[in-house]
Structures are given as structure tokens and as C-alpha cells.
Amino acid sequence: MKISELSPESRQPPPPHAGLIADLSKAVTDVESSAASATSPEKLAADLRRVLTNLASAASTSSFTEAFTVQVWGLGPRLWNAVVDRANSTALAGSPDALAVEAEIRQAAPELLRLAGIPDSIPSAAVKVASFFHRSGLAWLDLGRVDLASACFEKATPLVSAAATEEDRGVLLDINLARARAASDAGDQALAVALLSRSKPLAAASPEGAKSLAQGYLSIGEATLSAKHSNPAVEASSLFTEALDLCEKVASPSGASPRTPPYGGAIPKTPNLEGLKRRCLRFLALERLEAQDYEGVLRCIRVSRASLGLEEEHPSIGVMAMRAWIGSGNVAEADKELEKLMANALATENLCVSAAEAYLAAAGPEAARKVLIALAARCRAGGAAAAVRVVKQVIDGGGGGTGRARAIAELVSDERVVALFDGPGNTHERGTMHALLWNCCHLEFGTSGTEHFHAKNYDTSADLIERSMLYVSRDEESRSRRADCFRVLGICHIALQHLDRALEFINEAYKVVEPNIKCAFLKVKIHLQKREEDEAFKQMKTMVGCVDFNPEFLTLTAHEAMACKSGRVAVASLTFLLGLYSAEKPMPMPEVAVVRNLIELLSREPGTEAEILKYSRRAKQRMSDIGVESFFGSGIVGGRELNWFADICWNMGLRASKDKKYNFSAEFFELAAEFFGSSNAECDENRSKVCKALVMAVTTMLNAEELNNSPLSNSDIKKGVEMLSRAGKLLPLISPSVPVASDQLEANNFFYLHTFNSYQLLGRMGTTAHPQQLQLVKNFASSKACTPAHLLALGVTASKGALPNMLAAEFSLKACITTGLASQSPNYSVISCALRKLACLAGLQDLNGSKSDTAYDVFQQAYQIVVGLKDGEYPLEEGQWLVATAWNMSCLPVRLHQAKVARKWMKMGLDLARHLEGMKEHITSMQTTFEAFERMSGGEPDECSQEDKAPKTNMAGMSQPVLV
């Protein structure tokens, strides 16, 4: 019979879920043989995920038979064992991703068993599944996947929650402890503590359970302490106390002996728990240390040491004890603890150095030497590094001043400390130590100093630099560093005014390296301070020739020379610097600043007008060549520079004029006019300054002509005329808006100087210019700037010289008298002088064509002026001159028998005497003389007053006294 002929009833049906079993069996087989096959872990995990999905789908639609469940349970442990073998295999990749795949494969085993169900035929099946979930969760927890780990623990918990057997309670305890760890890792410390509390009944049954729970409390306490948990309900100290309580309960399970306080007495020794208890005490001491409960720290440490026995003490105990003693202010006990720590073989070198740093921060620099010597004996491999850290702590630590510097110097110069840095392996540490000492006291040239230089403790700085050279080798690579040390030593001794010693160090620096700009400058500085200007000059030339020459050092030399009051060297350095300027070369300061400083220095010395003039000309030439803004700068700064040059030229012009160096003065004023009139300074104020400078330039030119007694050349006259013409256009800017009588008004003076100088230059053109001179005077007299004193000066000038302009003189003097009388407060000193000059002028020439009448008119005007004046208003000397001159004018007519003319002048003199102070004593004699003259003349007119008639009176015997 063929198989196809069999009836359906006679065929055997396939077992239920046979496909699931086949797929699962194949997946398990693949995992078991994956080490020998090329199947990747990712594919294995994907196959297991597919099987689990299908299994979960089947479980949701129908219940599994007992036979199917048993089959799955036969494959599940095989899968678990295969995963364990893979985990133990050295060929397994250790990357996080690979480990995550392995954890997923591991978790597939308990997932299969949970979905298949718990068979009754297999003893402790639920415990096994829970155990598998627990260990799978631990794998996820080790990978940092707290969420997946918590999911595994939560799946395992219901399986053993009944805790019916000792095995169930043990697994449930492990699960609770693992869940507490996961909650702590997730930051939920409150849940972690709750899970630990929930585990207490489970742990009470066995000492091992209590020990595990104590370890759990300790672990969560460590996490809380390190995380600085902010929940006030969870305190690390309470967790450590719980751990200690559990350890004590294990030690006395009957509860007969009372619980010992965590840090208040001896703890019963239990061999298998001593390490755990001491660990709890260490962390409890650490928590108390952070809370600054130093007494609590010391109690914990005493309890821990009491239970120590023959074992070596943990190094952290000594560190915490030392810190606690420091915190409580007992540095002596802290020193003892530090000594114990260094004697502890378990303490690492780094821990000893850290403890030494903490101790020195409290003990101060005085204890540093003792500590460092101890570290040198303790730290064989890293002694140099330890010494660097200790010295750095002393430098950065508390205290200060000379005491700390002395401690540092003694510390680093100890032979035992220096010996730690021997050998090529300590090159880095030697450099670090040198850098520490260098930074402690070094003053880098051109920068701000550090601590001891700020405090001006130069002797201390020099000492530290010399000690730092102990850590500088003499090889070729360290030559530059040694030279720097010598240079800084030189700076220190310069500051201390040990100039010869400083020069020795600079010469030593020269021997180590080739001459450089810094050392050359320091030599210049030394020579300047020793007042050796010639040597400073020579060294400055050497400095300019250095390979690393920088023009900025010439600026520094100038500053140093000025500080040493050596103007000659300062000028020379700036002159050198000025010669280096070109369009392409960058310089440390603008060219205009160099020129300005040069002029400023030269202006302090007498007799430097020629040099100042040379550099002022250079500034003007550079301004013309490259432009105002390019030379002086732009904006407010440029404007200030330009105004400075204009002002210095003006001031130098005044100074040279005061010293009667009129040739220099004229050129200074001319330069001032150029600077004031530059395009950058175009404003009314500066235009008025231009006007004044031009007027002053011509004034000093004329003064130079008079002083040197050498006539101006035609070119100078032409130049003067051009400057006055230019100034004349600007005069309206400085002319007063209303008439001002004050002779002190500056604007009036410049207007007058412009007129006076123009008059003088016109006088160089001969008599043909007389009409122009007269018109110039008339224009000035009609101006608002005109004053009587100015007119008097013009009149006197016009009446002098080889070619006097009598018309201009007469006009000026008459205008002076008229203007003076018209003022509110007439200046009779000026008016009297003008009257005298006008009287003298009238005596030389009869402008109206008849003798004596013009002069008499002047005296008549004078008489009209003095009548009614108070005593003393009219100048005494001038009044006496008027009376004497008028009286004496009658002498010649008397001798010529011109009685009428003589009578007129005598009467004028007598009338003037009656109204002028100081002539009272002469009036009587004058009156007597006049009466005698009248009797003798008989009152007849003189011959000169009678046309074509002979005189009838004989005065041959008459004589007249002369007034002097």
C-alpha cells in the first residue's frame, strides 16, 4: 500500500507548535556553535527576538501543553549555559556594543522560560527563572543600561515574591539589592533606601544575607556621599550606620549584647566582617569630615584602629585623621599623622604628596623643609615631582613676604632636595622647578613684575633667582635660560643700586650668549645711573648694532636718560631713532611723537634755539610732504599734536625775542603761522593766531635789523610785506567790535603792530611812500583799535629817522591829543608827551607860513588843557617843561626888541605856572620880571608888530632871567 493511499484517519498529526520548537532549537544550536561558525552575534540576537515574538504571539492565542513547556525548558537552560560559555570566552569582543548584544542574548533565556510557563514537574522552576532575570539585569547594570536592568528585576520579583522557601528568600534578597543599586544609579536614592529597608526581614534569616544587605547599605551610602544627594531624607551617615548595625547583628545573632554606637566604642571582632566594618567606618569618617565634624571623624578613626589588629592600616585613615586634626587646629597631631602616613607601605607616593600639600597649607612655609626631606626619603621614583608639588604649595599657599621667600630659598637649596633632580629622567621636573622660582620673583624686561618686584623686594628676588639656577643645567640647550637668569640678577642689583655688581652679572650674560639688545640696554642703564654719559653713548651704539635690535629700546633709553637727568643721552637716542624712520619700516612710536619729544627735551636747555628750529622745520617739511593727517594723525589726537607744534613755535619765538635773538624769533613765529594755518586747524581762533604770528614775525625781523644795524634785504622786505598783507586780511578777526581805550588790550596791540610794521617797511621805499604812510596812519586813527599811546608812538617814529614824515608825525600827535582828551579817563602822561613832541615839531617848521604862531598854538592848547585840572593830574615834569619853554621862548624876542612877542610868551609862561603844580615858588619872580618888562616896554607894540614904522621904545638895558 502506498502512503498516498492511506486514509487521513490513519496519519499521525504533528505535535502542536512544532515550528516554534524547531526554530528555537535551531537558534539555541546556533548560539552554542557560534564560536566555531561565522554567525554574527547580531544575527543570533535577531533570530532570538523573532522566536520570542512568535512565542509571545502563540501564548496569547492558546495555552501551551505540558509537553511543549517541558521542551522549551529543556532548550532554555541550554541557551543560558551557552551564553555563560560565550561570556567566559576570551575571544568575545569587549566593546560596549558587543557586550550589549551579548546581554540581549542572555536575557532571551529567562524570557523563553517565562513565556513557556512554570512547569510543575521541574523543581524550583520559578526560582531559576528569577535567578536568570537577576543575572541578566546585573549584566545590563554593568553596561549602564539602568532601564533594561530594572525591567529584568521587575520581571523576576513576582516569581519569588511569596518567599516560601529559603532559596526564594535568598533570590528575592539579591533581586531587591540589585533593584536598590539600579535605583541609586538612576538617582532615586529614596527608592533605593526603601528597597533596602524592605530587604531587612529577608536578610535576618542568615548571616550571609545580613552581610549582603550591609554591603548594599554601604554601596548606596557611597553613591549618596559621592553624588551629594540633595534629598534631606536620605543621609549617607544613616546608611553607613545601618551597615554597621547589620555587621554587629551578625556578630551577635542572639541579640544578647547591645548594639555598639557607630563611633562610640569597640566593635566585636568578626573575622569575615572586619574588613566590611572598617570600610563602613572609613566612609562614615569621610562623611563626617565633609560635614566638618572633626571630633566625629577622630572617633570613627579610633574605633577603626582599635579593631585593626596586625593588619596594615588603610592609607585613607591617616589622611582623614590628619585633615581632622588640621580642622580642629591641632597642627602638631596632624604632623604625627603625616609621619604615620609616610611610614605606611600601602600609601602611594601621590597620596603622600597630596597629604603633604594639605598639611603645608595649614602649617605654613616653615614646615616645608622637614616635609620635603621626608618626601625625598619616601618617594624614590617620583621624588622630583613630589618636590615640585611641595614647592608650588609653599609658593601658592598662605603667608607671604620675606619669611616665605626665605623658606622657599632654604627649601630649594637643600642638597638632598637638589639631588632628587639629578639624572636625565628629571629634565621636565628641573624645568618646572626653575619656572616656579622664576615666576616667583622674575621681572621680565618690558612687562609688569611679579610678587616680589611689586613689593620691591629686590634682594629677595635676587636670592631666589640664584637658587633657581641650581635647577638649570650647563648644557647647550640651557644657555639662553642661564643668560636670562644673569640678566634678571643684573636688574635686581640695578634696583638695589649695586651698579658694579649688576654690571658683573650683565657681563656674565654676555659670556653665555652673544650680545643681545636686552643686555646692551641694561648696560646703558647702568652707565646712565653711574653718570657715565660717554660710556652710555658707546653702549648705545653697540645696542643699535645688535642682531636682535628693536627701535623700541631707543625709546626706553630716552626714558631712562630723562629719569637720570641726562638730556644729552636722551636727545641722542631720539636722534638715532628719528634717523630710522622710513615709509616702509614699522616703528614703536609715531614720527611726530619722536620729533615732539626731541623739541621738548631741547627746550629745557638754554641755547638750543638752532636745534629746536631744525626739528620744527623738519615737522613743517614732513607735514608738507605727506600731509597733515599722515604726519600728525587724525581726529582729536592729531589736532592736539598740531597745536602743540604751533604753540611751541610761538613760545620759542617769545623766548628768543626776550633774549634778543630776533633772527630765531622771526622764523619761529613764521613756523607758528604755518602750523596754525594748516588745513587741520582751520577755525576763527586759529586764523587769529595766524594773524598774530605773522605780525610778530615781521616785528622781530625789524627788531633784528635795528639790533644788528644791518638793513633788511629786498627779499626780506618783500617777504615782510607779503606776511603783513596776509595778516591784514585776517585782522578783522581780532579787531574789537567797539572802541576800547585800554592800552593793554592784546587785539589793539596787534592792530597797532601791523600798522607800525607796515609804516616801517614803507619807510624803506623813500619819500615817495610818505603819502602812503600818512594814509596808513589816518586809517589806523579811524579804527576802533586805535589808542592815544599808539598814536604817540607813531608820531614819534614819523618824526625820527633820516627821512622823517612831518605830515604823518603832526597828524599822529594831534590825533593822539584829540583822542586822549575825548576818552572818559584821559591819560595826561600820554597827552603831555604828545604836546611836547608837537611843540618841538612846530618849532622846526612853520606849517602855516608864519613864524612862532604854530608853536604858540600848541602852548595855547596846552594852557586850555591844564586850566581846571586838579593838582597832580598833569605830570609835574611835563608841566615844568611847558612853563620853562614858554617863558624861555621870550628871551630871543626881548633881545630883538620884539616886545609884543616877548610879552605874549612871558604871559603864556606866567599863566601856565599859575595852573601847574610845582611852579608856585617861581610865580613871584616871574611876576616881578614880567612887571619890570611891562614898565620898560611902556606897553607899546614892538617894531615887528608895526609895519613900516620904527620902534619908539628903547629896551636895550633890559635883561630877563631864564627858567630851567
Side-chain angles (χ1 to χ4, degrees), residues 283-361:
F283 280 101
L284 186 57
L286 178 61
E287 189 274 335
R288 290 292 84 201
L289 184 64
E290 292 187 357
Q292 298 183 359
D293 177 12
Y294 303 118
E295 188 59 34
V297 175
L298 295 173
R299 285 198 300 269
C300 289
I301 290 173
R302 281 195 290 268
V303 172
S304 177
R305 286 175 172 172
S307 64
L308 187 61
L310 299 176
E311 296 181 22
E312 192 73 42
E313 181 179 84
H314 194 279
S316 64
I317 293 292
V319 175
M320 289 188 290
M322 183 197 73
R323 289 184 177 274
W325 284 120
I326 291 174
S328 60
N330 195 334
V331 180
E333 290 295 329
D335 182 37
K336 295 178 182 178
E337 292 293 345
L338 181 62
E339 290 180 1
K340 291 179 182 178
L341 177 66
M342 291 191 181
N344 190 338
L346 297 178
T348 63
E349 292 185 359
N350 185 60
L351 183 64
C352 292
V353 176
S354 298
E357 290 175 326
Y359 171 73
L360 289 175

Side-chain angles (χ1 to χ4, degrees), residues 438 458-459 461-469 474 479-516 518-523 526 530:
W438 178 269
Y458 300 112
D459 51 350
S461 300
D463 187 31
L464 287 172
I465 283 294
E466 290 194 54
R467 306 301 173 98
S468 75
M469 294 183 72
R474 295 182 175 271
R479 290 177 61 190
S480 176
R481 187 177 294 180
R482 289 181 61 80
D484 286 342
C485 290
F486 284 125
R487 179 172 55 81
V488 175
L489 283 170
I491 293 175
C492 293
H493 287 284
I494 289 173
L496 293 169
Q497 291 298 299
H498 303 159
L499 300 179
D500 293 333
R501 182 68 172 151
L503 191 58
E504 292 178 10
F505 281 117
I506 300 302
N507 289 332
E508 287 296 322
Y510 264 90
K511 294 177 184 178
V512 176
V513 294
E514 62 182 13
N516 59 83
K518 293 180 180 179
C519 292
F521 170 75
L522 290 177
K523 277 195 170 186
I526 293 170
K530 293 175 73 175

Side-chain angles (χ1 to χ4, degrees), residues 747-765:
N748 285 0
N749 291 336
F750 278 102
F751 204 104
Y752 160 72
L753 284 175
H754 181 269
T755 303
F756 180 83
N757 293 337
S758 299
Y759 185 94
Q760 291 278 60
L761 291 178
L762 287 172
R764 304 301 189 277
M765 301 178 184

Side-chain angles (χ1 to χ4, degrees), residues 352 447 538 580 765 780 788 895:
C352 292
T447 65
K538 293 178 184 177
L580 299 176
M765 301 178 184
F780 177 71
R895 292 180 182 180

Side-chain angles (χ1 to χ4, degrees), residues 663 701-713 716 764:
N663 290 329
M701 283 173 59
L702 295 172
N703 291 340
E705 177 192 42
E706 182 180 354
L707 179 67
N708 301 328
N709 197 20
S710 60
L712 291 174
S713 64
D716 287 338
R764 304 301 189 277

